[in-house]
Structure formats: C-alpha cells, structure tokens
Amino acid sequence: MATNSEDLKNLEHITARITSLSAEKAHIDAELAIATEHMRVLFEHRLLTHLSQPTTRSPSGPVIKRPRTNLADTTTATELACLLRVSERTAHRLVQHAMLLINHHRPTLVALRAGTITWDHTTALLHEYAGLPHTTATRMEEALLPVAQVTTVSRLSYRARRLRTRLHPTALQDRARSATENRRIDVEPADDAMAWLHAYLPATDAAAIDARLTHTARALQTPHERRTLPQLRADILTDLLLDDRPHPSDEQDHRLLDGRFEANRASSQSAASRSTAPPASSSSGNSGGSCGSTGFGGQRVRAHINVTVPVLTLLGVDNEPADLEGYGPIPADIARRLAAHAPSFTRILTHPETGTVLSVGRTSYAVPADLKKWLRVRDQTCRHPGCTTPASRCELDHTRPWSHHGTTSHNNLAHLCRKHHMLKSEGIWHYDQQSNGTLQARSPAGNTYYDTPNPLST
C-alpha cells in the first residue's frame, strides 16, 4: 500500500502534468488564433481583391491594420467550420476573436501564448474590450490581465463588468438602450427529444420573468401536485406562450402574459419585487408529474411544423422514431399524438427497412409543388456541409445553374440558406451533386467536403 508520502509525490506529479497540459493547450489556442487571422487576411487580399482598401499603420505600434470585410470574415468562417467540424457560429467567433487578438490586443495574446491565461479567460476579456475606444480598451487590458492570471472566468467577468461600467465613455443607460436592439430568442437542440430555449433580454426583464415564474410555480405547489418546481416553471412558460387568445380576459392574465414588467419606468421597486403580484387563479392540472397544462392558457396555438412519420409508426405497428424538421428524432407516441391533431398531411411513403422515398403522393407532371415537398423532406436542412438551418428557411438552388443547362430535377436541386446561396453566387464556394443526392462542396481553399442526405429520407 502506498504511503502518504508516496501519495503526495504522485499528486504533485499529476498536478504538475495538468498545469503543463493546460499551458500547452493555451499555447495551441493562441497559435490557432494566429493561423485563423492569417487565413482571413489571405482571403481578404488574394481572393477578395475587389473589396480591398489601402492598408493603414496603427498609431499605437507597428501592427498594420488591414481592411476588414464581412465577406472575408464569412468566407473564413465557412472554411474553418468544415475544416474543424464545428458550427459556423463557433467558427465566426474564432475569426472575430483572432482578429482582435492579433491586431488590437497583443498583451492578451502574449499571455495566452505563454499559458498564463486560458482561452476561456481570453474570450471573456475580449468580450469586455468590445465596443470600447482604443485607449479605454488598453486601460481595461492593463488592469484585467493580472486579475485573469489568478482568478476564475466568472470572477474575472464580474470584475470586468464593473470596471467597464466605470471606464466606458458612454453612459450605461445609453448602452443598455442600444443593447436592447439586439434582443432575440434562440433554440438549441438537446438530446432525448428536448431543446433549450434561450432569451437575450434586458437584465431587469429576465430577472422579473425568472422571479414571476418561480412565484407562480410556488403558488401551484399543493399537497397533490407531484411536479417539481423546475417542471412547474417550464409548464407555466409553455402554457403562457402557446395560449392562442389574442386578448387575455382579465387584468391578472394580462400582467402574466405581458413579459415586459415596465422595466423602463422609473420606480423604486426592483425587478424581483415587480414580479410578485398575485398570479391568476388556476388549477394544478396534471398531477402525474408529466408535462401538462397549468391552467393558464386557452386553446394552444397550432404552430406549423413538419414531422416525418414512418407509416408503420403512424399505424401503431412499430415504434420507429419520427423526425422533426430541423431537430431530429422524436418518440413515436409524440408523433402519433401530433398526427391525431394535424389539420393536413403530405403523404411521403418510405420503405420500412431502407427508408428510401417511394412516392410523394399523387402523380403530377407539373412537378414543382410536389418536388419541393420531396426535397424538403430529403434535405431537412441547408445542404452546405455542417449547416443546420432548417430547409423551411432555405432557398432551393439549381446545383448546376439553369443558365448552364442545369435541369429542374431532384438530383440538381438542393436547399441552401441565404448565406451559402450568396457564397455560391459569388463564386466563393462551388457545388456538384451526385445522383444519390450527395452534395460535393469545394471550398475557397481548395478543400472538398461532402454532405449526404439523411438515410431516413433517401
């Protein structure tokens, strides 16, 4: 059995190894950022020369600031996304961070390269530098780099926000008003037929909504209610958003559905206290612990979604999962429940073993309508390798242009989102389609990538 002394030596060795690996990883992240910026500059000056402008010398040092174009950034991001097998959003963030590090924040890059800070610290710092005048950002960098080397990312971010508020030349009120213009909702797919719903809102509204959901959920926690507090919060939010009544019938429901909570009105009340008004009366609804109504809504909204259900699943013969467009597999029982309330169907017959499409319903010589449905089921998303934009938000594109004798057929049509359609039209990305629907994409760097349709739908 190892002695305490031997254990300590082993722990010292392991600790030193972890520290060394972390520093090595930071160094690699710095080199990746440098290579990314080199790629962006190459695309900007060699592939996009028609967008170039004269270079200028930075007043703060010898670094030459080259002209930036959105098209060069986008081209670099699409190349990196395929090369590194990451999302284009992730790749675009890398492009932006690399440009800032190399051209504007060399001390931060040096610290990252030396391994004294991690990539997470670096991105947190860059986030706080963003939008600041050069001199202010430099002061921030000088003050925060020593902090980053000795503390966690969350504590660094807290310190940085306070310092940014103090040093920023624009008043916080004005910046908050401007930031409100970027409010948005995003959906992030998760496992097991679930998804995350993200909301970017004014902090006061977000805090008020959070407190309101908690307060209302606690009011529904009776001895017979088996749902947990997080489950009740989720069910209340779902009921309120999917209630199809355009005008709530009473003032209390209106306050619940409003969601704004008068965040901009001068008041001594905090966001949390504003959210503690008595909730609308309701029954606890489902007491079995499963997702269900909380009694707040009327008839739920019939949102238009596309679900591909194998015919044997629909008939209850087997439980092969269905496919929700833009997400992926959902359980058979959920698919059958959706089908039972669907106002209409588009018949897409598939082979029960191979999933090969056999028919799109009625025969039609005027193919566009049926062919569009067929292609939407086949493609499901933008066909650019790695892109997950749902086909419903994409454009059908002739892979071989019509002007170059391309045909309007299933093996010459594919969905492309607006961004990738634009890159194809600009001659930056090039595509060829094989007879089985596989799309071959050639990148501006000369690399070749492939996108094959989901076997379920081909």
Side-chain angles (χ1 to χ4, degrees):
M1 178 178 293
T3 65
N4 289 338
S5 176
E6 291 174 336
D7 285 343
L8 288 175
K9 288 182 179 179
N10 288 334
L11 284 173
E12 288 176 359
H13 174 74
I14 294 171
T15 300
R17 179 63 174 157
I18 291 175
T19 302
S20 174
L21 289 172
S22 178
E24 185 177 344
K25 180 178 182 296
H27 179 81
I28 293 173
D29 286 334
E31 294 298 326
L32 179 60
I34 293 171
T36 296
E37 174 61 6
H38 288 168
M39 176 181 282
R40 189 193 68 81
V41 171
L42 181 69
F43 283 147
E44 186 169 71
H45 289 279
R46 295 189 181 181
L47 301 179
L48 306 172
T49 55
H50 61 288
L51 295 176
S52 296
Q53 299 173 9
T55 58
T56 58
R57 182 170 296 276
S58 170
S60 61
V63 178
I64 294 178
K65 296 195 291 186
R66 296 177 170 84
R68 296 187 65 228
T69 66
N70 289 333
L71 191 54
D73 292 357
T74 300
T75 301
T76 308
T78 56
E79 183 73 51
L80 286 175
C82 291
L83 191 64
L84 301 178
R85 299 181 300 282
V86 298
S87 70
E88 288 190 11
R89 181 177 295 183
T90 299
H92 203 275
R93 282 197 296 266
L94 175 58
V95 172
Q96 292 177 322
H97 291 157
M99 188 282 301
L100 290 171
L101 278 173
I102 308 308
N103 297 308
H104 301 283
H105 298 290
R106 286 287 183 141
T108 302
L109 174 64
V110 170
L112 177 65
R113 204 172 188 181
T116 58
I117 62 174
T118 67
W119 181 252
D120 288 341
H121 287 90
T122 302
T123 57
L125 289 170
L126 291 175
H127 175 74
E128 299 302 334
Y129 302 155
L132 291 173
H134 178 72
T135 54
T136 306
T138 299
R139 291 177 61 190
M140 285 272 292
E141 190 171 30
E142 292 172 350
L144 292 175
L145 267 179
V147 178
Q149 296 172 7
V150 297
T151 192
T152 62
V153 174
S154 58
R155 292 196 174 189
L156 170 66
S157 297
Y158 178 77
R159 291 275 297 273
R161 283 193 296 272
R162 294 177 65 88
L163 181 61
R164 178 186 173 92
T165 299
R166 189 169 74 247
L167 296 180
H168 204 294
T170 305
L172 178 60
Q173 180 178 355
D174 295 333
R175 287 186 281 124
R177 187 181 302 112
S178 176
T180 301
E181 298 299 319
N182 297 321
R183 61 192 182 276
R184 59 184 291 172
I185 302 292
D186 289 319
V187 177
E188 177 188 355
D191 294 331
D192 305 321
M194 300 292 284
W196 293 99
L197 183 67
H198 302 291
Y200 180 65
L201 303 170
T204 51
D205 285 357
I209 292 170
D210 181 69
R212 168 73 71 175
L213 290 172
T214 298
H215 178 89
T216 308
R218 290 193 186 282
L220 296 178
Q221 285 187 310
T222 66
H224 302 290
E225 178 57 71
R226 295 173 57 186
R227 283 173 291 181
T228 65
L229 185 67
Q231 289 172 342
L232 281 167
R233 280 166 46 92
D235 290 346
I236 291 167
L237 178 67
T238 302
D239 278 357
L240 291 177
L241 292 179
L242 295 184
D243 179 5
D244 69 349
R245 293 176 299 176
H247 301 289
S249 58
D250 59 66
E251 184 180 353
Q252 286 182 323
D253 271 355
H254 179 74
R255 289 200 305 271
L256 281 170
L257 291 170
D258 185 2
R260 296 296 300 172
F261 303 106
E262 298 176 318
N264 295 322
R265 188 178 67 178
S267 172
S268 60
Q269 291 179 301
S270 67
S273 66
R274 283 203 304 275
S275 67
T276 56
S281 60
S282 66
S283 62
S284 60
N286 183 357
S287 62
S290 61
C291 296
S293 173
T294 55
F296 285 110
Q299 181 74 21
R300 281 194 171 187
V301 172
R302 291 187 182 273
H304 181 78
I305 59 176
N306 285 325
V307 179
T308 304
V309 188
V311 65
L312 296 183
T313 298
L314 192 60
L315 295 174
V317 176
D318 62 27
N319 288 313
E320 183 72 19
D323 191 88
L324 174 62
E325 183 185 51
Y327 172 81
I330 61 173
D333 61 331
I334 294 179
R336 283 192 286 265
R337 188 161 66 246
L338 289 172
H341 298 283
S344 63
F345 289 90
T346 297
R347 185 161 60 98
I348 306 289
L349 299 181
T350 62
H351 191 284
E353 294 182 359
T354 66
T356 302
V357 173
L358 303 177
S359 171
V360 291
R362 66 183 185 279
T363 302
S364 173
Y365 291 101
V367 295
D370 283 347
L371 186 55
K372 284 181 180 178
K373 296 174 183 177
W374 191 94
L375 290 166
R376 187 167 170 177
V377 171
R378 183 198 70 177
D379 292 348
Q380 300 187 23
T381 65
C382 169
R383 294 295 308 284
H384 180 88
C387 186
T388 58
T389 302
S392 58
R393 302 210 306 264
C394 295
E395 302 164 345
L396 269 178
D397 172 69
H398 286 75
T399 306
R400 183 179 182 182
W402 180 264
S403 59
H404 294 175
H405 308 290
T407 59
T408 304
S409 58
H410 71 279
N411 56 4
N412 191 51
L413 289 168
H415 285 87
L416 291 177
C417 67
R418 289 187 177 182
K419 176 172 65 177
H420 293 123
H421 199 175
M422 179 271 295
L423 292 174
K424 175 178 182 286
S425 299
E426 292 287 340
I428 296 173
W429 279 82
H430 302 273
Y431 302 90
D432 290 306
Q433 188 168 171
Q434 301 174 7
S435 59
N436 65 351
T438 296
L439 205 66
Q440 175 182 300
R442 295 192 303 280
S443 78
N447 298 314
T448 301
Y449 305 96
Y450 295 89
D451 179 81
T452 301
N454 190 326
L456 171 69
S457 55
T458 59

